Amino acid sequence: MATKRKRSNVVKDADKWMSAYIRKSACVAGDTAVCFTCGKHGHWKYQMQAGHFQSRSKYSTRWAERNVRCQCSHCNITNGGQQYLFGLNLDVTFGEGTAQQLVQKGMELVKLTTDEIIDIAQAYRQKFEAL
Ligand SMILES: [Zn+2]
């Protein structure tokens, strides 16, 4: 049965849990997380953000784990995401070609159902709570 929840709230929920999971899993000691693009340290909850390699407007990569990394606000906002560095570090971290794969995937048009997005939110919530 299809859900009656409002799609925009479901999207927000998936973003929220994914962001929490990505930032907390970037912690190196206690609550201190590391920025993926500059290495700066900060509290995962209060000082760090979830930065997207391919824009959040692209639903094919919006919740792809490798597309979203922990960033400081300077990299994510002031420097527009540091996309070039982001891509280089993706290849270093996950293997050559990772950035290119995400660029390719980002160009795919996908239409997720509200139920599918609810599943994504639940999956990230579980991953977050298991940290
Ligand atoms: Zn940074």
Side-chain angles (χ1 to χ4, degrees):
M1 202 178 83
T3 180
K4 288 193 176 89
R5 287 182 61 195
K6 213 173 148 194
R7 188 177 173 90
S8 58
N9 289 335
V10 168
V11 167
K12 256 185 231 157
D13 221 33
D15 284 344
K16 179 185 85 179
W17 288 112
M18 181 191 209
S19 171
Y21 168 70
I22 293 294
R23 288 177 291 134
K24 199 170 183 194
S25 63
C27 285
V28 283
D31 288 323
T32 303
V34 181
C35 174
F36 187 65
T37 41
C38 78
K40 186 180 161 187
H41 288 200
H43 194 290
W44 74 272
K45 197 170 185 179
Y46 308 113
Q47 293 171 306
M48 303 306 260
Q49 302 176 345
H52 290 67
F53 175 55
Q54 294 301 291
S55 158
R56 237 165 43 135
S57 64
K58 298 174 177 183
Y59 276 74
S60 52
T61 47
R62 186 173 181 133
W63 296 295
E65 197 169 324
R66 290 177 177 184
N67 190 57
V68 186
R69 302 281 95 201
C70 179
Q71 284 188 304
C72 70
S73 62
H74 189 72
C75 286
N76 191 33
I77 306 292
T78 314
N79 288 327
Q82 291 282 41
Q83 202 199 26
Y84 181 71
L85 262 179
F86 203 129
L88 289 180
N89 288 346
L90 281 172
D91 283 0
V92 168
T93 307
F94 299 111
E96 196 75 29
T98 303
Q100 184 55 36
Q101 282 166 16
L102 285 167
V103 168
Q104 219 81 48
K105 195 171 160 61
M107 290 189 274
E108 291 170 13
L109 282 178
V110 296
K111 177 77 180 157
L112 298 167
T113 66
T114 303
D115 284 330
E116 284 171 328
I117 301 170
I118 288 173
D119 287 345
I120 290 168
Q122 274 171 353
Y124 277 116
R125 183 182 185 157
Q126 282 167 4
K127 286 172 93 152
F128 171 76
E129 286 171 349
L131 287 174

